[in-house]
Amino acid sequence: MDKVVTGCGFTEYFLNNNIPTILCSPRKALLKNKHEQHLKKSKEDPKILPTYHFKNEIDKDINIDFNLTEKLSEEEKVQIKKDIKEYILGLRRNLSNYICTTQTPPKILVTYDSLKHVLDTIYEMDLSLINQFQVVVDEFQSIFMDSRFKASTELDFVTILQNVPNVCYLSATPMMKEYLEQMDEFKDLPYYQLNWAPEHLIQPTIK
């Protein structure tokens, strides 16, 4: 989906409708800001739904870190991996509890890197549950831009999305349609572009 302009309310539509939604963003700061906005607004306006921020503070490639840190002993590496596993399991337990107890449609905010943990949690609860969710990949052009410095992470992200039934790749600055059609993961997807009426657009005045 090429929304053409930023700030048009497309992600807000997904976060306030009655469809369970997983909003994926490439940047933690954007998710934090969106979550805090909804937390505040939902207390004042019942139409604004609260969100759940799947906040993974240690989301990185542990093998790369180990390669860069030669001083770690094998025992220390084993312990770190064990600690990370327990940390992720804690995040997944909290997410599962949220999905089971929320009184509104689940609205989950997560980075590209951590989507795998969210999906694993949902699959573990009920494999068919994912069919109820809409996965929104915001700023999806970042998949290609960020692949310059974390190619394997971006490839893994696109790969796991191939098994998700309802995915919307969303951007105001998308990759060219002709380019996407050269890639197996995107070539058969329908491509939409919003056609804004002139009266709906306000050109900024730059001083």
Side-chain angles (χ1 to χ4, degrees):
M1 172 64 75
D2 178 1
K3 57 185 181 179
V4 180
V5 297
T6 60
C8 66
F10 212 105
T11 53
E12 283 301 305
Y13 161 74
F14 282 113
L15 293 178
N16 289 299
N17 62 22
N18 60 0
I19 302 173
T21 301
I22 302 171
L23 177 65
C24 307
S25 172
R27 305 290 178 260
K28 292 182 179 180
L30 294 177
L31 293 178
K32 180 177 181 292
N33 184 48
K34 184 73 70 174
H35 175 65
E36 291 176 349
Q37 286 180 2
H38 272 250
L39 188 63
K40 180 180 179 180
K41 291 179 180 179
S42 63
K43 296 177 181 178
E44 304 167 354
D45 185 352
K47 294 181 181 179
I48 303 297
L49 299 181
T51 59
Y52 182 89
H53 187 187
F54 189 87
K55 193 175 181 181
N56 183 2
E57 297 289 2
I58 56 171
D59 204 354
K60 56 180 68 175
D61 190 332
I62 192 63
N63 293 317
I64 292 177
D65 288 347
F66 283 166
N67 290 336
L68 296 176
T69 313
E70 298 178 356
K71 294 182 180 180
L72 288 176
S73 66
E74 287 303 318
E75 291 77 11
E76 288 173 322
K77 293 179 182 179
V78 169
Q79 184 60 49
I80 289 175
K81 288 185 177 182
K82 182 179 178 181
D83 292 343
I84 290 176
K85 183 177 180 179
E86 287 300 317
Y87 175 78
I88 296 299
L89 286 175
L91 292 179
R92 290 180 53 178
R93 282 193 295 268
N94 292 338
L95 175 60
S96 178
N97 182 62
Y98 161 73
I99 294 174
C100 291
T101 61
T102 182
Q103 300 300 307
T104 60
K107 302 293 179 178
I108 303 166
L109 310 182
V110 65
T111 60
Y112 290 1
D113 296 6
S114 288
L115 176 64
K116 57 183 177 290
H117 303 308
V118 171
L119 293 179
D120 285 345
T121 302
I122 294 173
Y123 295 150
E124 190 174 87
M125 294 173 67
D126 182 350
L127 277 175
S128 64
L129 185 60
I130 191 60
N131 296 323
Q132 301 177 23
F133 279 85
Q134 172 75 59
V135 177
V136 181
V137 182
D138 199 17
E139 303 293 342
F140 89 90
Q141 78 281 354
S142 294
I143 295 173
F144 309 99
M145 304 301 291
D146 292 356
S147 63
R148 291 174 296 177
F149 55 90
K150 52 174 186 173
S152 61
T153 300
E154 300 303 308
L155 181 60
D156 288 344
F157 175 63
V158 173
T159 300
I160 64 173
L161 284 171
Q162 302 312 298
N163 297 318
V164 177
N166 307 307
V167 180
C168 176
Y169 296 93
L170 182 65
S171 178
T173 54
M175 307 299 290
M176 291 186 299
K177 182 180 179 182
E178 293 78 8
Y179 180 71
L180 295 175
E181 288 177 345
Q182 303 302 312
M183 304 179 65
D184 290 340
E185 294 83 0
F186 295 94
K187 67 180 181 180
D188 294 325
L189 299 182
Y191 187 99
Y192 299 96
Q193 185 179 66
L194 297 183
N195 184 18
W196 295 96
E199 61 268 23
H200 290 162
L201 299 178
I202 301 174
Q203 294 295 331
T205 300
I206 300 177
K207 297 181 181 179

